[in-house]
Amino acid sequence: MSPKISLTRYLVEQQRLAGHIPPELRLLIEVVARACKSISQAVNKGALGEVMGTAGSENVQGEIQKKLDIVANEVLIEANEWGGHLAAMASEEMDSIYVVPNRYPQGEYLLMFDPLDGSSNIDVDASIGTIFSVLKKPEGNDSVEESDFLQPGSSQVAAGYCIYGPQTTLALTVGDGVAMFTLDREQGSFVLIEENVTIPKDTQEFAINMSNMRHWDEPVKRYIDECLQGKEGPRGKDFNMRWVAAMVADVHRILCRGGVFLYPWDKREPEKAGKLRLMYEANPMSWLIEQAGGAATNGKQRILDLQPTKLHERVSVVLGSKNEVERVTAYYSGL
């Protein structure tokens, strides 16, 4: 039997062999992973831990917060603020950035996270997760400003998610492919289960909220309609539809077996570019997908090339198996 390789050992070996994981970044990733273990424990307790239901408050997007949203946000902040690796953090659940207090040493990295993606799944015991993204703090600035976070997704130095489902699994990239780790509760650590995750270029599976069809742009309607026509239609093959109502779960499925995920702009809120958050969801997930051989666009251009203009900016998302993403993007171009 091959020895179990822990996340810590994996990162240390990557640091030694490739040298592209600086020691401070390695330690930061380990701290985030430990925070995810704590969140996993809270999720597993469910109602027994008195963390179910709504908190009676709204986040900056005007969405009703669940108790676990707040718990997860606090866990990530408390775990990361004192280690000396970070200058500041930003969260989907907070109005503005959280600068590391003066009583702690300040590091060179910026951490962004969606503490609990898929909140609507909490009370029905369906998969949810934590998404995170790491940037370098711009050089030459002693203080930290919100503008320091407004970097394109191509500037990320680490990104990943932790999904809390039948197993607790961590997916991670530092720009050299995607690795997956599953939490071994007996050992108390994340254990490597797969390296160099690869998404097939073709698929027969799509994920989208079909109830919004009447609100979509014509290119998305065209694409989904062709999928629904199956073998008798222009695609010449049958498709299956999946929708977990948690981006982290849909992306995890795509990394495991391929597929395409769409959360497009719709006409109900025409002034908003989309529903998902560029900084906390789209950028880290797009980088993971690209590192696994897939593609990610907003329908018109590569998501990782988008220049953010505000902390809680929204975006349309089409990501997954490369050939399907390119087809949707071509439809937006009128091809």
Side-chain angles (χ1 to χ4, degrees):
M1 182 180 294
S2 59
K4 292 183 177 180
I5 298 177
S6 68
L7 173 65
T8 297
R9 176 178 169 181
Y10 174 83
L11 292 173
V12 168
E13 290 180 351
Q14 288 295 305
Q15 180 183 322
R16 288 173 179 166
L17 293 173
H20 65 272
I21 306 180
E24 294 299 308
L25 179 58
R26 173 177 64 81
L27 293 171
L28 171 56
I29 292 170
E30 290 185 52
V31 172
V32 172
R34 284 200 298 271
C36 288
K37 284 197 292 184
S38 298
I39 296 170
S40 177
Q41 291 172 352
V43 169
N44 289 340
K45 287 181 180 178
L48 300 179
E50 298 183 351
V51 293
M52 305 295 278
T54 61
S57 57
E58 294 183 352
N59 63 17
V60 65
Q61 285 86 28
E63 300 164 335
I64 299 297
Q65 290 178 306
K66 300 283 189 175
K67 291 179 182 178
L68 266 175
D69 284 322
I70 297 174
V71 169
N73 196 70
E74 291 176 349
V75 166
L76 283 158
I77 290 174
E78 291 173 3
N80 284 282
E81 65 178 356
W82 55 270
H85 320 306
L86 287 176
M89 292 175 263
S91 166
E92 183 181 312
E93 300 299 328
M94 300 190 298
D95 292 358
S96 56
I97 65 172
Y98 179 89
V99 179
V100 170
N102 290 332
R103 62 182 179 275
Y104 300 124
Q106 193 174 99
E108 59 181 327
Y109 292 103
L110 306 173
L111 175 66
M112 293 170 292
F113 49 82
D114 179 352
L116 211 60
D117 179 69
S119 296
S120 63
N121 285 344
I122 292 172
D123 294 333
V124 297
D125 203 18
S127 293
I128 52 181
T130 298
I131 306 171
F132 64 92
S133 169
V134 183
L135 296 167
K136 283 287 293 289
K137 175 188 170 186
E139 296 182 1
N141 295 346
D142 293 331
S143 60
V144 186
E145 306 292 339
E146 185 173 305
S147 58
D148 294 334
F149 284 82
L150 303 182
Q151 303 178 38
S154 56
S155 296
Q156 294 174 106
V157 294
Y161 64 78
C162 193
I163 183 170
Y164 314 117
Q167 305 89 36
T168 292
T169 298
L170 173 71
L172 173 70
T173 184
V174 291
D176 188 26
V178 177
M180 285 191 182
F181 307 80
T182 291
L183 180 60
D184 183 334
R185 299 191 184 281
E186 295 177 357
Q187 184 174 316
S189 63
F190 283 99
V191 176
L192 181 68
I193 58 169
E194 186 175 2
E195 284 187 274
N196 301 314
V197 175
T198 303
I199 301 170
K201 292 183 178 181
D202 294 295
T203 184
Q204 292 177 238
E205 201 165 75
F206 67 90
I208 196 168
N209 187 344
M210 288 293 292
S211 67
N212 295 330
M213 177 180 275
R214 66 193 186 279
H215 304 299
W216 296 336
D217 264 344
E218 287 305 316
V220 177
K221 287 182 180 179
R222 175 187 172 186
Y223 174 75
I224 297 300
D225 183 60
E226 290 180 353
C227 291
L228 295 176
Q229 291 180 50
K231 288 182 179 178
E232 294 75 24
R235 301 301 308 279
K237 60 182 181 180
D238 291 329
F239 282 78
N240 288 325
M241 192 194 87
R242 298 289 183 265
W243 184 251
V244 189
M247 186 189 193
V248 67
D250 283 309
V251 169
H252 185 65
R253 184 185 61 253
I254 290 170
L255 284 173
C256 290
R257 69 186 193 201
V260 61
F261 169 88
L262 304 93
Y263 211 131
W265 171 93
D266 70 50
K267 62 186 179 184
R268 288 172 298 175
E269 295 181 294
E271 75 285 356
K272 294 179 180 178
K275 171 73 172 176
L276 298 176
R277 272 53 117 194
L278 175 61
M279 308 287 284
Y280 312 109
E281 297 167 316
N283 275 342
M285 291 307 207
S286 295
W287 199 29
L288 283 164
I289 290 292
E290 285 196 3
Q291 285 292 309
T297 77
N298 66 353
K300 299 176 182 178
Q301 66 183 108
R302 180 178 179 235
I303 284 177
L304 296 183
D305 289 337
L306 298 175
Q307 174 60 52
T309 59
K310 55 185 178 181
L311 203 57
H312 296 285
E313 187 166 339
R314 296 177 187 250
V315 68
S316 298
V317 174
V318 182
L319 58 74
S321 294
K322 191 171 185 178
N323 289 343
E324 295 301 311
V325 174
E326 289 180 349
R327 178 178 288 269
V328 178
T329 306
Y331 287 177
Y332 268 97
S333 301
L335 302 178

